[in-house]
Structure formats: structure tokens, C-alpha cells
């Protein structure tokens, strides 16, 4: 039966290859095929990178889709699919021209119409995209390769939005796919990226297979983050799902896999002890922990109490408890991530040290009556498990009563969307982690949205903050933008939207004896990687 | 006999209906929102609400139930919330690994446990008995995941006799298939060997106290004949019950082993689906499990009549 | 001799033969002695945990995480006094004292094991006796049991945990419920066998009412297998609790149990084996004791026990 099926599959493959063979002289010999075996941080479940913000789906998007613009290592926006672009003097009209010879995986050329449809679908879903589209009056294709974007008023973040490096990334899809209603999942997985998604070989919970897209035209510049040339140097990439970290680490040491995206920090000593394994810090900006408070219910409906919590918390205990090795963490007062354009100390330095006396004083002032803080504790993700116990400990020392409730991460995710009172299935606080690339500015970082019901879980409400964010997004002058970002940070700490609980780095482990060329980036990229042997 | 089988098969229908209703209600009445999980970490509450609408989770419960039952009656188990894939296809992908692991484990268990149990009963109180009991205690006292890690560490990482993880279909050849199943089967069978050896021992000792055994011995039959022909045969009813329960347990119990050894089987599908609140998949997998359980129990009941002619249906 | 006489005299003979010496017989049995002593020791350990040089098992200190056994340090008592303290078994990944966690863990692990066994055996026995004996009920009950058995305990546990929040009671119920049908099936298989025995048929034929028959003839025959099964349930409950923790839905780690200490420590298995080793030794000892006690009781309680082979 398997035999019969494989015959059927090769027949299908042959049929699909016919149009390509017409343009090609020889096929590459099958013997030299290289396969990169990778264990990612989780299993690929959803294959629509616009439908979900899950990081694994974003990573899948980077495999098979391409973007108009991309951010390079120095956080500069550079063109990727776009060849040239123009901004009119009044800053209201953007004109984009695509590179020549871009093709979809089915061999059709990439057109301006495709891009417009893709921007629209992304803009319907993504928060930064929604903001962008609210400024856009019209998008029109002027020829097959060129389109214009007409703005209602000047907007400072057009290119930054199109180069958004993390969820949801504005990936380009063929028009027919992009016209899927944003609420429905796409069911056609044709992209124009350096790898093709092999849907027939996809076994959810087991493995996901990508093969090199032979017709991909990489840029000539060297690769840097998602910018520059995306040259696929292996024929096949397999994402193998392995729910058990210990097993994955052993599989890497035994050479059964080539790359392990996110080994837990406590297991790093095993990998460091293996001479064939190297640890790369491919995401130098790292990640940031967040302590999020719910504004709807006591005690965190009171600004003074929120400030008391911020006073009691400090970054180092969290980082020590989860990451352990100082090589992989950093105490960082900047809410928009250290070593980035919007990194400031002001206000954010409250998270450097705990001040329990201040916390107790604030609680007294607020008339805190000992209402327990219902703190949700997720127990099944290594990088989150130890956070809540530390928070509970610090809050108790700062005079709070804490009711820590343990649950699996998925339950936590469901429960945090509940607005009910904590006793009726709601919550007061939880901790999570953000990829730095998601929170580099107050528009893309969901935590600063203080639009009440429209905000992220916790639903903070603050008009002044919203004004600041609006000015930030329309400001085109860099210096003024920086100043606004600083004011936003101070405001966030004053009103207590959340606390930034420390910056940490996730090394990726590779077999250094056979894998070479892994690029840095906010997501793991698999182009530019070469492999020795099968 | 045939009428009995037919009646029992008919009786599975209400069982399955009950399980279906129970699971359906339990999933929807417990907190936990698949839409929030699907939407991902950065999603806004509005995005989540939209997904909930699309999945039909905002419909009233009876409507959802009617839709599901309607499809079920047409043999359609629905589509996974996550994978854009028919649940039936998902399950078919996962059946082989679990079946392979369960079969090798059960064979290994029976080959080891029954002889051990009989010998222990025969030599009751002797060093062999103590050794068997000691082993069975050890089998109980190590959590499966610890044993799995230990075996991987010793035999795969250090000695490199076996691969650390993974599964190869039997169509890839018998040796690659077995090579990857040996460690998981040993890991999983230890607790069943412990259980079945104990029960075998206990039942055989029980039977050895019966009058007809005394008679058989008095007739001058050798111990071995008495042991195998009379004692083991008559001790078979409780043993078979436990073996049946073992198979049932095994289907649910492969979960941890499948995780540790990274075998893409049904156990992992269930846990992933439960943790991800993938309602259609959970419902379908549990229905399939229920059906298998019911079948196994029917087989056990039938085997009673073969083993103990005094039991009739 | 008529059948009822036979039955009665046999029962009387059995009763008079064993009753006076039962307790002494048990004492003479080494398994029972050993099992009782170890179990009692564990119970006492759990009860007097605060007086055994332990500190708060939930108190965390990230600076002192993952220390090997024997690490010395100074700690500040709640009274504000600084004292020297030795982490006899090291610390876990949150800097909690493993020795204190293992000693306090005895409490919950024993409670889980005991209550799961009691609940599932009590309910399972009742259902099994009734359904094995009353033919028309048998079909219905067994199908319900089949249905119950078909639902993986993990699903049940997650469901119950998300309903009531993770806790000891939730976990006990979640582990006990799936055990019930297994007990029922075992009891029923015995009842089916016994019901065909001549002395039971005889008792029925002379019109002995249901309850006395069950009580006098059937019940005693279930004691031995149920003790074995009960010890298995108790032992496996302690393990299943660990597996639920492994899957992230067990008793929250602030309440230490041997199972969740091991589940938490499993990630560090190759680097810091003490996290699994120490609770593992206590777990193994306890299960050994439970099993030996079960076997010992079985040997002394079974009236037909014969050691002539």
C-alpha cells in the first residue's frame, strides 16, 4: 500500500514538474541531496501566519513566504522583494516597484496585485497593520510590478510596518490566497520564499517538510537578519517535533538531528560538554519577560497598588530562577529593549531593584485590604515555569496577599481572555515572555495599548497614553519620536500597564561538525545554512 | 454464543453515545478556549472573538451538539481546529506507531511475566519468588519517564546501541522498525510485567490451594503437569482480566513513552489535542478509544468461556 | 451431608481455624512486619516534618538554585535570627531545600495513594458485587464502566483541574475515577466464578437472600485479590500523580509531593540527578512497603492458603 502510494506520489510530482522541465535543461542529481533536521521550540499546528500570532507559525512563514521590506541586523529597514521605492514630497504617496523575476512556487510571476491583496489581509488582522491601513486611502497597481500607496495623512511607520520582523509578519501571498477572508484559515500554501512547503509530507505532531525552491531569486547582498540574499543551501529542511527537551538534547548529542532551536537553559551544560555541538546566540536582542496586571478588578484596579507591585518586583530574581547563567540574561531598565533606538532608563529603572518598604507604604496609602492577587502560574513551559513562584515571593515580601494558581500554559492562555472577577474564572496577574523584535516600539508592543476593551489582556485604560502613542505613530522626525517613546515608557511605569521582568537570550544549538552559516535574526532562518554530509 | 456477540456489539452503541455526550459536554462546560490558543500569544481579544465565531463556538450548545452528531452519523468526525485536516486522517497517521508499540510491549510482557509469576508461585517463599517480587516492586516504583531517560542515557547516549528517539514504519524494514521500538517497549513493559507477574503469582497460589489440585497431586501427577495443565489454566480468568485491563491501560499509558521517545502515536495526539483544546480531535480520539476498549472487553469475556467452561453466556 | 451443611461447616471450620491466631500470624509474617514498619515510619516522617530540621519547603531563593547535596549556607529564620544550614539533599531549580521538600512530600504522596486506593476499591467493590451477581444489571453497568474506562485519565484530570483548580482533592478524584472500572471488572470476574461454585448454587437453591450470600460467600473471596489490586492502585496512584505533574496538570509545586519533585527535576536529570534520586528512593521504599504489606495480609487472611507446594 505504501508502495502504491509512493508511486502515485512520484507520478504527481512528475506531472507537477512538467512545466518546470520545459525551462530547465538538467535536473540536479538526487544523490547529493542534503537534509537539515531541526527540532523547533514547538510543533507547527497552524499554517496561516496571518491567522495566528504563534511564533512557530511565523517561523513557518519565513520559510515559504517573502516580505516586501525587511529589517537588517542594525534594525535598518531595507527592501527585500521590493527593488526601488519612492516617497512623494508631501509624504503622502509611496510607490513600490518589485524586483524582476520573482515567482510563486507554482511558477506564476509575483504581481503588484498579489502584494496589495496580501497587505490588505495582514492589515485586517495585525495591530500594526490595522494602524497602517487606517492611514491608507488607497492602494493601486500601476503595472504588473509597481503599486502605489496613497495616505490620508503623513504616517511615520509605513516602511517599518512593512518590515515588521515578528508576528504578524506581512508575508506576501498570491492574490487568490490573500483574498481568503481574514477570519478563515488559508488552505493553499503557495509562497514565493526560498523554501516550498511539502503539504503531502506534513504530519502534524511528527514532522514538517520543506524543500528548496529552485526558482527563488535571492538578492545579491549578503544575508543579514531577514534582509539581503536568502540563499537556500540545503535541499530539504525537516522540522521534527519532539515534545521532550531531554530527548531532543540527547538526539542532538547523538547526531540524530542537526539543529535544536531552543534548548532549555538548565540543559545547556550537557550541550556545552559535547565537542560536536555549538551554541549560537542567533537572536542577540533576546526576549523580555512581562508581568501583566489586570486593571478590571481589585486590587490592580488601583494605580497605587499597581505601583506597589512594580516597586516590589525586580528583574534579577526572575532571571536567576529561570535562566540561571548570567551569560544568558541581562538586567535591563529599558522597556523597549536594551541596545535599540528606543532604549531609555527613565522610569524603567524601577525594575532594577526591589523596594519592599516603598511597596508597603504605597499599599497603605491605597488602603489595600489584603484582597488576594490571583496569579496564574503556567507549569509546562521551561522558560516560564519558575516565573510565577518568584513573583509570588516578591509580592508577598512587598505586603501583598497572593493566591498563586497553577495550570498548563494553554489553560492560562484561555483564562487570561476572561474579563470575569478572579473568583469567577478571571485573574489578576500573569507572566509571559516576548521576543524583543515584537516590542521595539510602543505601537507593535501590545502591552502599551491602553484603549480599554481594545487593549491586550489586562485591558488598561488611559487617555493620555493613547494620545502619546498616536503622536508617536504620526511623528516623522526621529528625535521627536525618541522623545515620545521615552515619555511613553515613563507613563507606562506610572500608570502600571505592566512590568518588564528582565531580558534573556535563547541560544540555539547546532551540530558544529556539519552545520554552518546560521544567520542571526528575530526568528530562526534556514537559508544560508549549509550542511556537510546527508 | 453468536447471539451473545451480536448483543454485545449492539450494546456498544449506547456506550459510545454516552461517551460522546459526556466528552462533548465536559469539553464545553470546562473553562478553556481553543480560540485563545489558536490566536497565539500576541493576539488581541477581538481577534480571539472572531476566531471563536468562525469555529462555531459561539453557537448555543444544543446547536453545536446537533451539528456534531449529524456529521458523526454520516461518518464525518470533523476537522481539527488547528490543522485544517480531517480528524480521520490525523488518526490514521497515528495508528501504526501506537499499535506497533502496544503490540511489542504486550508480547514482551507476556513472555516475561507469566513464566515469572508461575515460577514464583511454585517456589513461593524461595529466593526466586523474592527476586520476582523484588523486581516487580522496582518496576512499580520508577516513574516511566525516569526509566525512559535512564535507558536512553545508558543504551543510546553512552553505549550508542540504539537511537535516542524516533519511529520508523515497518515498511522501512523489520530491523529499523524494531531497532527503534526496543527501548520504548522495555520502558513501557516494565510496569505491566510487574503487574501481571504479581497477579499470575497470586492467582496460581490461589488455585494451588484448591481441592482438585490436591487430588491431582494425590493421583501422582508431576508438579510440572499439575502446574501447567491445572493450576495455570484455572488461574487464567483473573490473569486474562488483568491482561485485558493491561491492554486498555496500555493504550492510554503510551502517552509518556511516546513523549520520551518521540513516537508520533495516538497517545501524543490525544495529549496535544487535550492541552490545545482541539475539540473535534479529542472527541474523535476518545470515541475511537472507547470502541477499542469495548471490543477488548468483549474478547476478554469470550475468552472466559474458553478458559473456564463453568462460565456460560 | 446436604449442601448447606457443607457450606456452613466449612465456613465455621475456616473461621475457628484462623480467628484466634490471625493477629499473631500476621506478626509472624515478615512482609507484614516490614511493610508496616516502613509505612509507619513514612507516616510519622510526614506528621513530624516540621521538627526534623526542615525549613519552609516552598521558600524560594534563586541565588541558591541547583546546589548539590551538602551545600552549607546561612539562612535567616522568620524570627530574624541567622543560623548555619546545610542543604542535606541539595536544592532544586528555584533554590528550595530538597530535604524539606522530600520530608513534607511524604504527607501528600501518602494521602494521594491511600485515598485513591480507598475510594476506588470501595466504590468498585460495591458496583462489582452487585453487577456480577444481578444478571440484568450486569450488562448496563459493565457498558457504563466500559465507557468510563475509555476516557483517558489525563483528559479527566485536565478537565477537573481546570474546573476546580489544581489541588490535592482534584488530583485524587481524577486518579481514582478511572481506577473504579478496573476494580469492578476484577470483582465481577471473581463473582462470576464463585457464583458457579456448588456451595453458592446450593445456598441460592435453598433460598438464602442475596445480601447474606454476597456477604458470606462472595465477599471473602474478593478480599485477597482486592488487597493485591488495592496495593497496586495505591502504588500506581503515587506514580500517576507524578505523571500528571510531568504533563503539567498535577498538584502545584508549592505543595511538594514525591511525584512533582521528580517531575520538576526530570529536566535536570543528567546534570543534577539528586532531584530525582532522593524522592525516588522514598517513593520506591514506600511502594515496596505497600506491596509487601498487601502480600503479607493476603497470605495470612486467605483461609485456603496452603503452603504445601
Amino acid at each position: 500500500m505504501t508502495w502504491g502510494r509512493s508511486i502515485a506520489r512520484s507520478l504527481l510530482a512528475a506531472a507537477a514538474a512538467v512545466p518546470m522541465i520545459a525551462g530547465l535543461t538538467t535536473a540536479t542529481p538526487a544523490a547529493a541531496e542534503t537534509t537539515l533536521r531541526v527540532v523547533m521550540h514547538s510543533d507547527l499546528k497552524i499554517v496561516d501566519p496571518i491567522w495566528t500570532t504563534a511564533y512557530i507559525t511565523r517561523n513557518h512563514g519565513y520559510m515559504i513566504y517573502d516580505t516586501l521590506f525587511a529589517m537588517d541586523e542594525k534594525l535598518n529597514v531595507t527592501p527585500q522583494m521590493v527593488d526601488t521605492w519612492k516617497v512623494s514630497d508631501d509624504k503622502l504617496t509611496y510607490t513600490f516597484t518589485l524586483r524582476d523575476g520573482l515567482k510563486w512556487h507554482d511558477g506564476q510571476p509575483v504581481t503588484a496585485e498579489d502584494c496589495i491583496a496580501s497587505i490588505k489581509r495582514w492589515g485586517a488582522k495585525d495591530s500594526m497593520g490595522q494602524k497602517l491601513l487606517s492611514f491608507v486611502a488607497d492602494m493601486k497597481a500601476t503595472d504588473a510590478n509597481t503599486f502605489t500607496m496613497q495616505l490620508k495623512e503623513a504616517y511615520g511607520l509605513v516602511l517599518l510596518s512593512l518590515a515588521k520582523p515578528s508576528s504578524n509578519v506581512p508575508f506576501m501571498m498570491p492574490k487568490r490566497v490573500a483574498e481568503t477572508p481574514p477570519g478563515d484559515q488559508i488552505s493553499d500554501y503557495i509562497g514565493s520564499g526560498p523554501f516550498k512547503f511539502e503539504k503531502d509530507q506534513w504530519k502534524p505532531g511528527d514532522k514538517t517538510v520543506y524543500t528548496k525552491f529552485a526558482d527563488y531569486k535571492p538578492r545579491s547582498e549578503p544575508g543579514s537578519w531577514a534582509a539581503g540574499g536568502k540563499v537556500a543551501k540545503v535541499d530539504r529542511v525537516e522540522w521534527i517535533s519532539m515534545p521532550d527537551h531531554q530527548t531532543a538534547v540527547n538526539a542532538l548529542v547523538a547526531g540524530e538531528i542537526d539543529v535544536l532551536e531552543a534548548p532549555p537553559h538548565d540543559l545547556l551544560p550537557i550541550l556545552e560538554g559535547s565537542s560536536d555541538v555549538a551554541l549560537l546566540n542567533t537572536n542577540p536582542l533576546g526576549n523580555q519577560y512581562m508581568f501583566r496586571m489586570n486593571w478590571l478588578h481589585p486590587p490592580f484596579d488601583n494605580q497605587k497598588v499597581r505601583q506597589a507591585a512594580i516597586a516590589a518586583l525586580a528583574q534579577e530574581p526572575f532571571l536567576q530562577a529561570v535562566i540561571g547563567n548570567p551569560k544568558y540574561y541581562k538586567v535591563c531598565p529599558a522597556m523597549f529593549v536594551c541596545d535599540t533606538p528606543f532604549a531609555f532608563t527613565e522610569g524603567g529603572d524601577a525594575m532594577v531593584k526591589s523596594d519592599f518598604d516603598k511597596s508597603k507604604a504605597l499599599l497603605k496609602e491605597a488602603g489595600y485590604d489584603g484582597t488576594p492577587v490571583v496569579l496564574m502560574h503556567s507549569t509546562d513551559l521551561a522558560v516560564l515555569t519558575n516565573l510565577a513562584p518568584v513573583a509570588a515571593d516578591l509580592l508577598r515580601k512587598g505586603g501583598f496577599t497572593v493566591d498563586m494558581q497553577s495550570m498548563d500554559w494553554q489553560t492560562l492562555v484561555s483564562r487570561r481572555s476572561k474579563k470575569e472577577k478572579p473568583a469567577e474564572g478571571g485573574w489578576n496577574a500573569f507572566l509571559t515572555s516576548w521576543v524583543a523584535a515584537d516590542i521595539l516600539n510602543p505601537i507593535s508592543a501590545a502591552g502599551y495599548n491602553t484603549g480599554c476593551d481594545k487593549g491586550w489582556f489586562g485591558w488598561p485604560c488611559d487617555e493620555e497614553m493613547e494620545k502619546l502613542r498616536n503622536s508617536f505613530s504620526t511623528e516623522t522626525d526621529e528625535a521627536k519620536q525618541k522623545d515620545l517613546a521615552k515619555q511613553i515608557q515613563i507613563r507606562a511605569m506610572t500608570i502600571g500597564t505592566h512590568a518588564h521582568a528582565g531580558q534573556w537570550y535563547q541560544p540555539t544549538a547546532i551540530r558544529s561538525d556539519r552545520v554552518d552559516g546560521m544567520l542571526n535574526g528575530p526568528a530562526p532562518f534556514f537559508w544560508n545554512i549549509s550542511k556537510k554530509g546527508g | 454464543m453468536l447471539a451473545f456477540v451480536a448483543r454485545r456489539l449492539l450494546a456498544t452503541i449506547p456506550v459510545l453515545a454516552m461517551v460522546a455526550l459526556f466528552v462533548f459536554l465536559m469539553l464545553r462546560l470546562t473553562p478553556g478556549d481553543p480560540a485563545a490558543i489558536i490566536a497565539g500569544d500576541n493576539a488581541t481579544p477581538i481577534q480571539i472573538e472572531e476566531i471563536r465565531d468562525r469555529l462555531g463556538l459561539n453557537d448555543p450548545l444544543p446547536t453545536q451538539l446537533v451539528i456534531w452528531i449529524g456529521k458523526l452519523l454520516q461518518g464525518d468526525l470533523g476537522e481539527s481546529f488547528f490543522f485544517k485536516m480531517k480528524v480521520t486522517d490525523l488518526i490514521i497517521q497515528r495508528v501504526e506507531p501506537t499499535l506497533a508499540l502496544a503490540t511489542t510491549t504486550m508480547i514482551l510482557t507476556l513472555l516475561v511475566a507469566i513464566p515469572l509469576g508461575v515460577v514464583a508461585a511454585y517456589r513461593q517463599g524461595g529466593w526466586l519468588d523474592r527476586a520476582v517480587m523484588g523486581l516487580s516492586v522496582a518496576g512499580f516504583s520508577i516513574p516511566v519517564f525516569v526509566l525512559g531517560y535512564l535507558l536512553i542515557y545508558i543504551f543510546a547516549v553512552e553505549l550508542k546501541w540504539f537511537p535516542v528517539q524516533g519511529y520508523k514504519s515497518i515498511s522501512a524494514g523489520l530491523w529499523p522498525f524494531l531497532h527503534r521500538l526496543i527501548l520504548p517497549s522495555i520502558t513501557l513493559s516494565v510496569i505491566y510485567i510487574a503487574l501481571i507477574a504479581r497477579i499470575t503469582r497470586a492467582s496460581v497460589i490461589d488455585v494451588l490451594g484448591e481441592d482438585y489440585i490436591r487430588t491431582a497431586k494425590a493421583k501422582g501427577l508431576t508438579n510440572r503437569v499439575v502446574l501447567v495443565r491445572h493450576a495455570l489454566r484455572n488461574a487464567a480468568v483473573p490473569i486474562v482480566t488483568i491482561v485485558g485491563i493491561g491492554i486498555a491501560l496500555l493504550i492510554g499509558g503510551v502517552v509518556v513513552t511516546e513523549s520520551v521517545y518521540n513516537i508520533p502515536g495516538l497517545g501524543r495526539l490525544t495529549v496535544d489535542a487535550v492541552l490545545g483544546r482541539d475539540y473535534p480531535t479529542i472527541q474523535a480520539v476518545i470515541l475511537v478509544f472507547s470502541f477499542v476498549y469495548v471490543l477488548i472487553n468483549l474478547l476478554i469475556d469470550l475468552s472466559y468461556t474458553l478458559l473456564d467452561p463453568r462460565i456460560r453466556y | 451431608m446436604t449442601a448447606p451443611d457443607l457450606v456452613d461447616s466449612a465456613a465455621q471450620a475456616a473461621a475457628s481455624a484462623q480467628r484466634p491466631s490471625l493477629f499473631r500470624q500476621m506478626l509472624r509474617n515478615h512482609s507484614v512486619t516490614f511493610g508496616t514498619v516502613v509505612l509507619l515510619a513514612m507516616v510519622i516522617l510526614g506528621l513530624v516534618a516540621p521538627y526534623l530540621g526542615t525549613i519552609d519547603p516552598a521558600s524560594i531563593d534563586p541565588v541558591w538554585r541547583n546546589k548539590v547535596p551538602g551545600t552549607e549556607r546561612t539562612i535567616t529564620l522568620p524570627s530574624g535570627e541567622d543560623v548555619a544550614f546545610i542543604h542535606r539533599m541539595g536544592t532544586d531549580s528555584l533554590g528550595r531545600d530538597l530535604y524539606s521538600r522530600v520530608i513534607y512530600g511524604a504527607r501528600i504522596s501518602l494521602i494521594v495513594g491511600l485515598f485513591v486506593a480507598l475510594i476506588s476499591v470501595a466504590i468498585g467493590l460495591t458496583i462489582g458485587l452487585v453487577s456480577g451477581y444481578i444478571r440484568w444489571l450486569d450488562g448496563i453497568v459493565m457498558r457504563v464502566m466500559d465507557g468510563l474506562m475509555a476516557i483517558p485519565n489525563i483528559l479527566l484530570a485536565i478537565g477537573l483541574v481546570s474546573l476546580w483548580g489544581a489541588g490535592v482533592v482534584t488530583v485524587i478524584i481524577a486518579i481514582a475515577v478511572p481506577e473504579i472500572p478496573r476494580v469492578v471488572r476484577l470483582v465481577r470476574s471473581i463473582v462470576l466464578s464463585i457464583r458457579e461454585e456448588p456451595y453458592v448454587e446450593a445456598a441460592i437453591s435453598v433460598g438464602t437472600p442475596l445480601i447474606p450470600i454476597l456477604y458470606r460467600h462472595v465477599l471473602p473471596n474478593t478480599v485477597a485479590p482486592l488487597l493485591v489490586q488495592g496495593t497496586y492502585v495505591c502504588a500506581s496512584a503515587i506514580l500517576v500523580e507524578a505523571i500528571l505533574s510531568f504533563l503539567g496538570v498535577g498538584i502545584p509545586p508549592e505543595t511538594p509531593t514525591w511525584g512533582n519533585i521528580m517531575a520538576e527535576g526530570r529536566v535536570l536529570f543528567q546534570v543534577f540527578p539528586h532531584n530525582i534520586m532522593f524522592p525516588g528512593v522514598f517513593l520506591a521504599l514506600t511502594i515496596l512497603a505497600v506491596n509487601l504489606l498487601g502480600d503479607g495480609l493476603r497470605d495470612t487472611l486467605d483461609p485456603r492458603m496452603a503452603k504445601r507446594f
Side-chain angles (χ1 to χ4, degrees), chain A residues 2 43-47 50-55 124-127 130 166-168 181-187 189 199 202-206 240-247 250-251 253-254 256-257 380 408-411 413-414 416-419 432-434 438 446 453-457 459, chain B residues 31-48 50-52 54-55 79-85 90 92-94 96-97 145 149 152-153 156-157 160 162-167 169 171 180 256 258-265 268-269 272-278:
Chain A
T2 319
D43 184 28
L44 179 68
K45 289 201 168 84
I46 296 159
V47 283
I50 306 301
W51 210 57
T52 177
T53 59
Y55 287 146
K125 272 281 195 181
D126 181 66
S127 55
Q130 287 167 352
S166 192
S167 295
N168 302 91
D184 286 343
Q185 270 197 72
I186 57 171
S187 50
Y189 312 112
K199 185 167 187 272
W202 180 40
K203 287 190 190 163
D206 182 7
I240 299 162
S241 67
M242 229 176 263
D244 193 280
H245 296 301
Q246 181 89 51
T247 305
N250 284 330
V253 172
E256 290 164 28
I257 56 172
D380 56 342
D408 61 281
W409 174 246
Q410 314 274 28
T411 305
V413 167
S414 316
R416 72 179 181 187
S417 66
K418 299 269 177 288
K419 289 187 178 172
T432 185
S433 179
W434 294 82
D438 278 333
D453 281 356
K454 288 195 205 78
W456 202 63
F457 314 101
W459 307 280
Chain B
D33 183 353
I37 296 163
I38 290 168
D41 286 1
N42 306 0
T44 60
I46 296 164
Q47 284 177 327
I48 294 176
E50 217 178 271
I51 292 177
R52 205 176 290 137
R54 291 286 163 169
L55 296 177
E79 189 181 71
S80 158
F81 280 171
F82 290 93
F83 302 123
K84 280 295 266 178
M85 218 182 239
L90 271 179
I92 289 171
Q93 281 183 358
R94 304 300 191 93
E96 189 198 301
F145 54 90
Y149 291 144
I152 290 178
Y153 182 68
V157 177
K160 302 191 196 308
F162 301 99
V164 171
Q165 49 81 39
Y167 173 78
S169 165
S171 59
R180 281 167 183 76
V256 175
E258 285 183 357
S259 292
V260 171
Y261 289 95
N262 196 39
I263 296 168
R268 249 178 60 196
L269 180 69
D272 288 350
V274 166
L275 290 175
R277 309 287 192 276
D278 191 349

Side-chain angles (χ1 to χ4, degrees), chain B residues 133 140 202 206 214 286 293 297, chain C residues 146 150 155 232 239 295 308:
Chain B
M133 289 311 292
F140 273 129
D206 246 358
R214 276 178 242 156
I286 289 178
Y293 281 125
N297 288 332
Chain C
D146 290 345
L155 173 71
Y232 163 67
L239 283 180
D295 287 356
R308 92 191 50 153

Side-chain angles (χ1 to χ4, degrees), chain A residues 10 13 43 159 169 183 208 291 302 321 341 418 524 529 531 534:
Chain A
S10 34
D43 184 28
L159 298 185
V169 180
T208 314
F291 174 83
N302 181 326
K418 299 269 177 288
I529 296 182
K531 188 187 170 188

Side-chain angles (χ1 to χ4, degrees), chain B residues 41-98:
Chain B
D41 286 1
N42 306 0
T44 60
I46 296 164
Q47 284 177 327
I48 294 176
E49 192 54 33
E50 217 178 271
I51 292 177
R52 205 176 290 137
D53 259 343
R54 291 286 163 169
L55 296 177
L57 292 171
N58 280 340
D59 295 342
L61 267 192
T63 319
Q64 291 186 44
L65 183 65
V66 167
I67 293 174
W68 180 56
I69 300 273
K71 281 191 181 162
L72 202 60
L73 292 178
Q74 294 162 26
D76 179 3
L77 287 172
E79 189 181 71
S80 158
F81 280 171
F82 290 93
F83 302 123
K84 280 295 266 178
M85 218 182 239
K86 288 259 169 231
V87 173
T88 331
D89 293 340
L90 271 179
I91 293 178
I92 289 171
Q93 281 183 358
R94 304 300 191 93
V95 168
E96 189 198 301
T98 299

Side-chain angles (χ1 to χ4, degrees), chain B residues 8 11 15 18-19 22-23 26-27 29-31 122 124 133 137 140-146 149-150 153 191 195 198-199 201-202 205-206 208-210 213-214 217 223 226 237 241-242 245 248-249 255-256 260 270-271 274-275 277 282 286 289-290 293-294 297 300-301 304 308 310-312, chain C residues 135 143-144 146-156 158-160 162-163 181-182 185-186 188-189 192-193 196-197 201 224-225 228-229 231-232 235-236 239 242-243 246-247 249 259 262-263 266-267 269-270 276 280 283-285 287-288 291-292 295 298-299 302 304-309:
Chain B
R8 283 286 299 266
V15 176
M18 200 186 62
V19 171
F22 179 79
V23 173
M26 194 174 114
L27 288 176
L29 294 180
T30 52
Y122 180 59
Q124 196 198 353
M133 289 311 292
V137 169
F140 273 129
S141 51
I142 308 173
V144 185
F145 54 90
V146 178
Y149 291 144
L150 259 176
Y153 182 68
I191 198 157
L195 170 64
R198 281 171 60 84
I199 294 287
R201 174 184 176 274
I205 288 177
D206 246 358
L208 289 180
E210 296 275 356
I213 298 286
R214 276 178 242 156
K217 270 189 71 88
N223 280 345
V226 173
V237 167
T241 306
I242 291 292
I245 290 171
L249 264 176
V255 173
V256 175
V260 171
T270 316
V271 170
V274 166
L275 290 175
R277 309 287 192 276
I282 304 173
I286 289 178
F289 274 151
S290 330
Y293 281 125
V294 174
N297 288 332
I300 294 171
D301 284 351
Y304 289 166
D308 188 344
R310 289 172 300 175
I311 301 172
R312 321 172 282 271
Chain C
R135 273 171 183 262
R143 296 304 79 71
V144 174
D146 290 345
L148 200 55
M149 233 163 134
I151 300 168
N153 50 3
I154 292 154
L155 173 71
L156 212 52
I158 295 178
L160 295 176
S162 51
L163 258 183
R182 310 188 211 293
R185 286 197 75 86
L186 183 67
R188 175 178 169 271
S189 73
L192 283 183
S193 267
E196 312 292 335
E197 294 280 346
E201 278 183 352
V228 179
Q229 181 76 359
T231 56
Y232 163 67
S236 92
L239 283 180
I243 287 172
F246 171 91
L247 294 166
V249 288
M262 290 169 96
R266 78 181 200 275
V267 181
F269 169 61
Q270 282 174 27
I276 281 190
L283 188 93
L285 256 181
I287 294 173
L288 176 77
N291 283 337
L292 288 179
D295 287 356
R298 178 198 169 283
D299 289 352
D302 195 325
R304 292 169 303 158
M305 196 51 246
K307 292 198 174 172
R308 92 191 50 153
F309 264 86

Side-chain angles (χ1 to χ4, degrees), chain A residues 44-157:
Chain A
L44 179 68
K45 289 201 168 84
I46 296 159
V47 283
D48 185 342
I50 306 301
W51 210 57
T52 177
T53 59
Y55 287 146
I56 187 71
T57 307
R58 171 202 65 189
N59 300 349
H60 161 82
Y62 271 119
M63 293 299 280
I64 68 169
Y65 300 109
D66 212 346
T67 54
L68 293 173
F69 288 87
M71 215 179 249
D72 71 7
E73 208 149 357
K74 302 206 169 70
L75 306 185
N76 296 319
V77 173
T78 59
Q80 178 55 263
M81 289 164 80
V82 165
D83 188 19
T84 56
W85 82 99
K86 278 198 317 256
V87 190
S88 63
D89 293 339
D90 59 2
K91 299 209 159 113
L92 289 180
T93 312
Y94 285 70
T95 310
F96 306 103
T97 308
L98 298 173
R99 287 192 279 141
D100 275 334
L102 295 178
K103 273 186 188 158
W104 298 112
H105 295 157
D106 58 5
Q108 297 299 311
V110 175
T111 68
E113 294 281 358
D114 294 326
C115 298
I116 292 173
S118 300
I119 293 173
K120 280 186 182 153
R121 183 160 188 269
W122 165 75
K125 272 281 195 181
D126 181 66
S127 55
M128 216 166 157
Q130 287 167 352
K131 194 97 192 167
L132 174 66
L133 286 197
S134 70
F135 284 90
V136 171
D138 192 27
M139 286 189 280
K140 254 207 301 274
T142 49
D143 64 47
N145 268 349
T146 312
F147 70 100
T148 59
M149 185 184 274
Q150 188 70 42
L151 302 184
K152 294 174 203 158
E153 57 176 302
Y155 182 56
L157 305 176

